């Protein structure tokens, strides 16, 4: 399994992100869907990673910089056919590691409150995320669950790399 920065140009990645959007609109009212389409993911403050096993796409996740000390997890998705293989856990661990390297003190996320989101809630809790209130431009609503992870101060200096600079190649995840 390997994780790589993605430019969102491959059809398999585009199809996975469309599946994600479609599913969010099935589970939540349209005005309470905060999943991003391709154009809104292709901005400098968002980095998207995909998880692969050979040529098979296993999942994706993104990190949005809200401030120099605060990041938001976006677009976490594993296709139904590839679930329970560790891709979601792997990309989440990768995003947390990148957030630490960037010097973020807080990593937040918004996800749905529908029972179908419980596996995602459990994954986030298993990595130390706790329920929190809304952050950024979000407002309280019954269809959202807000979670955050406080990251300890890094022992090394904060990042010097640009937020969305693509990596030279895939990062191996073990």
């Amino acid at each position: 399994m390997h994780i790589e920065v993605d430019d969102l140009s491959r059809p398999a990645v585009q199809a996975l992100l469309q599946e994600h959007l479609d599913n969010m609109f099935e589970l939540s009212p349209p005005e309470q869907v905060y999943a991003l389409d391709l154009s809104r993911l292709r901005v400098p403050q968002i980095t998207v990673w995909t998880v692969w096993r050979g040529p098979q796409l296993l999942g994706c996740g993104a990190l949005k910089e809200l401030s120099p000390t605060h990041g938001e997890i976006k677009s976490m998705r594993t296709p139904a056919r590839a679930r329970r293989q560790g891709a979601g856990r792997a990309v989440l661990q990768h995003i947390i590691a990148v957030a630490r390297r960037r010097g973020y003190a807080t990593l937040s996320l918004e996800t749905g409150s529908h029972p179908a989101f419980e596996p995602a809630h459990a994954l986030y809790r298993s990595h130390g995320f706790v329920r929190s209130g809304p952050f950024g431009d979000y407002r309280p609503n019954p269809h959202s669950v807000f979670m955050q992870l406080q990251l300890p101060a890094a022992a090394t200096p904060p990042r010097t790399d640009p937020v969305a600079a693509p990596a030279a190649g895939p990062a191996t995840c073990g």
Side-chain angles (χ1 to χ4, degrees):
M1 187 178 315
H2 69 276
I3 298 174
E4 60 188 45
V5 172
D6 205 284
D7 67 2
L8 307 176
S9 65
R10 292 177 278 195
V13 175
Q14 293 174 1
L16 178 59
L17 288 166
Q18 187 60 53
E19 173 190 309
H20 177 60
L21 274 175
D22 293 346
N23 188 231
M24 297 305 98
F25 280 100
E26 291 169 3
L27 298 173
S28 300
E31 67 277 6
Q32 301 301 317
V33 173
Y34 300 104
L36 304 177
D37 64 18
L38 288 172
S39 67
R40 293 174 58 209
L41 285 167
R42 288 182 172 131
V43 296
Q45 60 269 46
I46 297 179
T47 306
V48 179
W49 291 274
T50 48
V51 184
W52 301 85
R53 180 173 290 125
Q56 183 185 14
L57 175 62
L58 299 179
C60 64
L63 180 57
K64 177 180 182 180
E65 181 163 290
L66 300 176
S67 79
T69 61
H70 192 180
E72 178 184 4
I73 294 176
K74 298 295 294 179
S75 301
M76 288 280 294
R77 185 68 178 194
T78 302
R81 66 172 171 26
R83 294 202 175 127
R84 312 289 310 160
Q85 296 182 39
R89 183 169 303 279
V91 76
L92 179 59
Q93 290 170 348
H94 184 79
I95 290 170
I96 293 169
V98 170
R100 283 191 170 109
R101 284 195 305 270
R102 289 183 180 178
Y104 295 162
T106 306
L107 190 55
S108 299
L109 63 90
E110 180 277 337
T111 188
S113 62
H114 188 281
F117 291 99
E118 183 49 40
H121 299 172
L123 174 65
Y124 298 131
R125 285 192 306 268
S126 76
H127 284 78
F129 284 82
V130 296
R131 282 186 178 238
S132 65
F135 58 93
D137 294 331
Y138 293 106
R139 298 291 169 252
N141 74 80
H143 302 283
S144 290
V145 170
F146 301 99
M147 302 180 87
Q148 70 178 211
L149 175 66
Q150 295 301 313
L151 299 171
T156 57
R159 67 153 194 271
T160 57
D161 60 308
V163 172
T172 303
C173 181

